[in-house]
Amino acid sequence: QVQFLESGGGLVQPGGSLRLSCTTAGSISFMSRVGWYRQAPGKQRELVASRTSTGLTTYADGVKGRFTISRDNAKKTVHLQMNSLKPEDTAVYYCNAVPTQNDYWGQGTQVTVSS
């Protein structure tokens, strides 16, 4: 069972930071690439950051230099450190493999950036 469980979201002021975590009862070791996705109201879900099992990372243009993704296969967790948050980062954030697998979606964690 790989369904992810996300946590760490909340309400933060612009310029603030949050660290998101996701974990699973299954394993992420076999996933060559895992990612954090987000979906803002009225918008399609988008890939924000990804990390391969060898440590290669990718970031969406709007978060480069502000977000950092990490993964710990032994602990079956994936983290997203988000700094210098902006109102446009407001969204529900999810973990999944890249490409996504329908059975892996969790409930997500809400991030709201507002003063």
Side-chain angles (χ1 to χ4, degrees):
Q1 185 72 13
V2 182
Q3 187 176 32
F4 284 105
L5 176 65
E6 298 89 356
S7 63
L11 173 63
V12 63
Q13 293 186 341
S17 297
L18 283 174
R19 186 174 188 246
L20 306 184
S21 300
C22 75
T23 188
T24 174
S27 172
I28 65 170
S29 299
F30 67 93
M31 299 180 194
S32 60
R33 191 172 170 206
V34 295
W36 278 96
Y37 300 77
R38 70 184 179 188
Q39 187 166 21
K43 296 188 177 181
Q44 289 191 337
R45 194 172 295 179
E46 63 171 341
L47 177 63
V48 174
S50 72
R51 188 178 182 98
T52 69
S53 56
T54 59
L56 297 177
T57 56
T58 65
Y59 296 95
D61 286 343
V63 307
K64 285 180 181 177
R66 300 189 297 120
F67 289 12
T68 303
I69 185 172
S70 60
R71 64 187 282 179
D72 186 328
N73 289 343
K75 295 182 179 179
K76 300 181 286 187
T77 58
V78 186
H79 298 289
L80 186 68
Q81 178 66 43
M82 306 188 296
N83 300 325
S84 302
L85 283 161
K86 304 176 181 181
E88 51 263 43
D89 295 319
T90 296
V92 179
Y93 286 71
Y94 304 86
C95 273
N96 207 311
V98 180
T100 62
Q101 301 295 317
N102 285 337
D103 291 347
Y104 296 177
W105 292 113
Q107 295 300 307
T109 186
Q110 175 71 48
V111 171
T112 302
V113 184
S114 175
S115 55

